[in-house]
């Protein structure tokens, strides 16, 4: 019984904690320093992941991670996704000098103070604290001014929460946001949505119906067109019949002759 329990505990450990054996089996690499891209599920302890010193892209989303300390040695890491975990402190990744994109949506980051530590990351251009697609967020996102504060904290940021704020396409995001705020400001009065008058159709009900003209010339043209169309259908049927008969006669002609002995 004890041996079975030990085996079960070892299996759980292999899944829940990052080990050298786990990393090599998942990536097929013999040397941890050769691992450049990594995606792991079902873990809560990052273990020896810091030994992958050449790691460039890391996806740890959807786990139960609380401590990012093992990532502090990943100086070449460019893209990090730790969304949907239990992270409340980002200080351990402040030494990841090459970090360009960071996704921490769906965690426990409670205030702007927890993000100040990332200001030293000069290459950081993409930060996501909220993801409406998966309904991921952080407590800090409840602060109505957190967005403006982050834009001031990170002057090099180009994308925030999936919205481009600098560069090509940023004007469109800003325009849509301004339109949305204008509509809300016009609709809501004293915190309530006023009743709007009933909408009237743009055109009459029979606007899209095809109307027959009383003009005798047009009526005659309709009649001649229908007559020609009918004649074409008859010719098509005759042609199909002739082709069928011809194919049948040719098939009989090409059949091999049989002789009785």
């Amino acid at each position: 019984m004890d041996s079975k329990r030990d085996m079960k505990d070892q299996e759980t450990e292999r899944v829940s904690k990052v080990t050298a054996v786990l990393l090599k089996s998942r990536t097929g690499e013999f040397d941890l320093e050769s691992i450049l891209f990594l995606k792991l599920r079902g873990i809560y302890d990052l273990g020896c992941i810091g030994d992958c010193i050449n790691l460039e892209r890391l996806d740890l989303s959807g786990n139960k991670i609380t401590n990012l300390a093992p990532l502090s040695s990943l100086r070449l890491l460019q893209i990090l996704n730790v969304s949907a975990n239990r992270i409340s402190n980002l200080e351990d990744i402040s030494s990841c000098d090459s970090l360009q994109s960071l996704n921490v949506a769906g965690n426990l980051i409670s205030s702007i103070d927890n993000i100040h530590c990332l200001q030293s990351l000069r290459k950081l251009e993409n930060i996501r604290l909220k993801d409406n697609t998966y309904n991921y967020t952080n407590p800090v996102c409840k602060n109505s001014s957190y967005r403006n504060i982050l834009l001031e904290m990170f002057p090099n940021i180009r994308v925030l929460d999936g919205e481009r704020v600098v560069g090509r396409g940023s004007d469109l995001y800003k325009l849509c946001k301004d339109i949305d705020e204008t509509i809300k400001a016009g609709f809501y009065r004293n915190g309530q949505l006023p009743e709007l008058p009933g909408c009237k159709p743009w055109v009459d009900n029979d606007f899209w119906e095809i109307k027959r003209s009383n003009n005798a010339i047009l009526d005659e043209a309709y009649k001649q067109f229908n007559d020609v169309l009918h004649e074409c259908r008859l010719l098509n049927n005759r042609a199909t019949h002739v082709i069928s008969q011809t194919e049948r006669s040719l098939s009989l002609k090409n059949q091999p002759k049989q002789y009785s002995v």
Side-chain angles (χ1 to χ4, degrees):
M1 179 68 71
D2 293 337
S3 61
K4 291 182 178 180
R5 183 178 301 172
D6 292 340
M7 291 178 61
K8 185 176 182 181
D9 291 341
Q10 290 176 2
E11 291 176 358
T12 303
E13 182 70 7
R14 283 199 297 269
V15 174
S16 60
K17 183 177 181 178
V18 176
T19 63
V21 175
L22 174 65
L23 292 172
K24 292 177 181 180
S25 63
R26 294 286 180 89
T27 63
E29 297 287 349
F30 180 76
D31 189 355
L32 296 185
E33 294 184 5
S34 300
I35 300 176
L36 302 179
F37 314 105
L38 189 59
K39 181 177 181 178
L40 296 175
R41 294 289 184 273
I43 60 172
Y44 69 87
D45 189 336
L46 295 178
C48 66
I49 199 171
D51 294 338
C52 306
I53 56 175
N54 292 315
L55 200 60
E56 296 178 357
R57 298 184 180 184
L58 178 59
D59 186 348
L60 298 171
S61 60
N63 290 290
K64 299 179 181 179
I65 300 169
T66 59
N67 183 13
L68 298 178
L71 303 184
S72 59
S73 60
L74 303 181
R75 298 300 179 90
L76 300 180
L77 188 63
Q78 299 176 14
I79 300 176
L80 175 60
N81 184 352
V82 287
S83 61
N85 278 281
R86 301 174 180 176
I87 299 166
S88 58
N89 192 333
L90 300 175
E91 189 171 357
D92 294 314
I93 61 174
S94 61
S95 58
C96 300
D97 303 326
S98 302
L99 196 62
Q100 300 175 11
S101 176
L102 174 63
N103 187 347
V104 291
N107 279 281
L108 304 175
I109 301 172
S110 58
S111 67
I112 298 294
D113 295 335
N114 301 127
I115 308 174
H116 273 293
C117 58
L118 302 180
Q119 285 186 282
S120 60
L121 302 178
R122 300 301 180 185
K123 296 182 179 181
L124 191 58
E125 297 180 346
N126 187 337
I127 303 176
R128 184 184 284 274
L129 291 164
K130 181 171 60 174
D131 190 335
N132 294 328
T133 302
Y134 299 100
N135 198 26
Y136 292 161
T137 186
N138 280 277
V140 67
C141 298
K142 295 180 180 179
N143 184 342
S144 58
S145 59
Y146 96 94
R147 180 183 177 85
N148 294 331
I149 295 175
L150 283 182
L151 293 177
E152 292 179 1
M153 286 175 55
F154 301 96
N156 296 327
I157 193 171
R158 302 178 67 86
V159 181
L160 176 59
D161 293 340
E163 275 188 24
R164 185 173 292 276
V165 293
V166 175
R168 186 176 181 181
S170 60
D171 293 339
L172 178 60
Y173 280 107
K174 185 177 185 303
L175 177 62
C176 292
K177 184 178 179 182
D178 291 342
I179 292 175
D180 187 51
E181 291 178 352
T182 302
I183 292 174
K184 289 181 179 179
F187 276 0
Y188 287 89
R189 298 172 183 173
N190 299 325
Q192 296 182 350
L193 183 65
E195 294 184 3
L196 299 177
C199 298
K200 296 182 179 180
W202 291 359
V203 296
D204 297 332
N205 294 333
D206 59 347
F207 180 82
W208 301 108
E209 294 180 2
I210 299 177
K211 299 179 176 64
R212 295 296 299 270
S213 173
N214 294 326
N215 193 316
I217 297 177
L218 289 178
D219 290 341
E220 182 62 24
Y222 277 121
K223 183 179 182 301
Q224 291 180 8
F225 175 77
N226 289 326
D227 291 342
V228 172
L229 183 61
H230 179 67
E231 186 175 354
C232 290
R233 288 172 178 169
L234 292 177
L235 290 174
N236 180 66
N237 292 336
R238 291 175 185 174
T240 302
H241 179 68
V242 172
I243 292 173
S244 178
Q245 285 185 332
T246 304
E247 289 177 344
R248 188 181 301 109
S249 63
L250 289 175
S251 64
L252 292 174
K253 183 178 180 179
N254 293 330
Q255 287 182 356
K257 296 181 179 180
Q258 298 180 357
Y259 299 93
S260 59
V261 180

